[in-house]
Amino acid sequence: MSDALLEVKDLKVYYPVKGGSFTGKKRYVKAVDGISFEVHRKEALGIVGESGCGKSTTGHCIVGLVEPYSGDVLFEGKSIFAGKKRRSKEQAKKIQIIFQDPYSSLDPRFTVGKCIREPLDVQGVGTVAERNQKVLELMKEVGFNEDQITRYPHEFSGGQRQRIGIARALALDPELIICDEPVSALDVSIQAQILNLMQSLKDKHDLTYIFISHNLSVVHHLCDRVVVMYLGNIVEMADKDRLFDNPLHPYTKALLEAIPVPDPEIGSMTGEIQGDVPSPMNPPTGCCFHTRCPYATEQCAKVKPVMQETEKGHFVACHLVANNPADNINL
């Protein structure tokens, strides 16, 4: 039996396309197309990739905001999609989310106190006095004063609103928090403050994070392991240091080379990805990346690569790596 806190097993999230096709066959947008991974207690797992790769959809499915087409998600060994009620009340408490946009994720009609207290009210936790006390404790923990409890979200900056979102996510004492690009909408100067706050809260409350981001520098700072997604598929997964030091998949290598370096002596990236991301409604056959890969072969276009463990904890789905294991570092 796995000791993982969360297990994602062959998860698929397909969205039906309205309107028929000439063939009469039902069409789907394949946002997530059969991914599997585990998240262990107290770790921070990063999920990275280009916009539209399915990373946010994966997080929303885990937290119960999106229904899967097939596959399963197990939390503490129990499926969150079993039964008519889907997530149990206890599972709902233990899995929370911090949204990307701190402007639209808070109800403008609610005061800060009510925004943070809402999960406690919905779950019926404790007495009214206990809930109010919990709100005051959470506000202090994320850097607010008690006299700000009656103010409204529009009276705060973006960074302050995200602190409110973090406090709300902590209200039910969760074990796992889905962080859906929580700093991408903030100024760079504020991002560091929020990331440091999240790291300190993780250590204090023994939290587990799934950190979704397109910013690889942020992921390297906060996460322990990294999952790389492309067009709804996982192409590589490894410890962050191993992944950054020795990327095996051509897509991962191109992503890392695209990280801006503040040095005018360093030229542009050498492994620039050509072309556009294919439509998730009609993904390529074989390897999903072969239409943009400079190393693609005929095998890549016909056969979908299987995820293989090249060294302990380092997984990659690439025919080139499988066929030439000794030359991985030269991709």
Side-chain angles (χ1 to χ4, degrees):
M1 184 176 178
S2 174
D3 62 348
L5 176 66
L6 184 85
E7 297 174 77
V8 175
K9 295 186 174 183
D10 196 25
L11 183 67
K12 296 181 180 181
V13 181
Y14 293 174
Y15 297 107
V17 178
K18 292 184 178 180
S21 64
F22 290 110
T23 62
K25 186 178 179 180
K26 196 168 185 179
R27 299 181 299 166
Y28 293 92
V29 172
K30 298 180 179 180
V32 177
D33 197 17
I35 65 172
S36 300
F37 62 89
E38 295 182 349
V39 185
H40 300 279
R41 292 182 187 276
K42 301 181 184 180
E43 83 165 333
L45 177 75
I47 302 181
V48 302
E50 293 174 286
S51 296
C53 70
K55 55 187 185 294
S56 289
T57 302
T58 300
H60 291 175
C61 189
I62 292 171
V63 83
L65 296 176
V66 174
E67 290 286 322
Y69 178 80
S70 65
D72 204 358
V73 177
L74 305 181
F75 182 75
E76 296 182 324
K78 297 179 181 179
S79 172
I80 67 172
F81 298 116
K84 295 181 179 179
K85 293 183 178 180
R86 299 300 183 179
R87 290 196 307 167
S88 68
K89 187 174 181 180
E90 196 59 33
Q91 286 174 333
K93 289 181 181 179
K94 291 183 177 181
I95 306 176
Q96 294 294 306
I97 186 170
I98 300 170
F99 292 100
Q100 176 181 357
D101 187 0
Y103 295 89
S104 61
S105 62
L106 300 175
D107 193 323
R109 302 168 299 173
F110 287 2
T111 62
V112 170
K114 190 171 182 181
C115 285
I116 299 173
R117 197 182 66 237
E118 186 179 17
L120 299 169
D121 294 336
V122 171
Q123 294 288 347
V125 177
T127 64
V128 173
E130 288 171 339
R131 294 175 206 168
N132 290 335
Q133 181 59 36
K134 178 77 170 180
V135 170
L136 292 175
E137 292 172 359
L138 289 168
M139 289 185 65
K140 183 178 180 180
E141 201 164 11
V142 299
F144 287 108
N145 299 319
E146 291 185 8
D147 58 1
Q148 294 174 302
I149 194 170
T150 57
R151 294 172 63 182
Y152 289 85
H154 74 270
E155 299 179 67
F156 295 92
S157 66
Q160 289 174 317
R161 293 186 199 190
Q162 197 58 290
R163 289 174 183 268
I164 298 169
I166 292 170
R168 181 177 60 184
L170 290 173
L172 294 172
D173 298 319
E175 293 186 29
L176 172 65
I177 296 182
I178 312 296
C179 310
D180 185 13
E181 301 198 43
V183 297
S184 63
L186 306 177
D187 293 338
V188 175
S189 60
I190 304 300
Q191 288 184 13
Q193 297 177 22
I194 298 300
L195 290 172
N196 289 336
L197 172 64
M198 293 179 67
Q199 183 63 61
S200 65
L201 291 172
K202 178 181 181 297
D203 296 337
K204 180 179 179 180
H205 296 282
D206 292 331
L207 296 170
T208 302
Y209 285 160
I210 294 180
F211 194 90
I212 298 164
S213 179
H214 61 265
N215 189 325
L216 288 164
S217 298
V218 169
V219 169
H220 188 266
H221 172 73
L222 188 69
C223 298
D224 304 305
R225 287 191 301 129
V226 184
V227 169
V228 182
M229 290 188 66
Y230 179 80
L231 204 64
N233 294 266
I234 293 177
V235 297
E236 190 165 359
M237 178 167 48
D239 171 85
K240 71 170 180 182
D241 292 327
R242 186 176 290 137
L243 186 90
F244 277 73
D245 293 341
N246 183 31
L248 299 182
H249 199 282
Y251 178 65
T252 308
K253 184 175 176 65
L255 286 180
L256 294 176
E257 288 181 343
I259 298 175
V261 178
D263 188 342
E265 298 298 323
I266 298 178
S268 60
M269 60 183 284
T270 58
E272 183 176 357
I273 304 174
Q274 302 295 326
D276 298 321
V277 180
S279 169
M281 192 165 63
N282 186 28
T285 57
C287 174
C288 59
F289 186 60
H290 85 265
T291 58
R292 304 175 71 196
C293 180
Y295 310 102
T297 65
E298 186 176 343
Q299 181 188 22
C300 299
K302 294 181 178 179
V303 182
K304 185 171 183 177
V306 178
M307 186 71 70
Q308 297 184 18
E309 188 173 17
T310 59
E311 54 183 321
K312 187 175 181 180
H314 196 158
F315 300 85
V316 63
C318 179
H319 291 305
L320 188 63
V321 174
N323 296 337
N324 305 281
D327 300 326
N328 290 345
I329 196 169
N330 297 320
L331 283 180

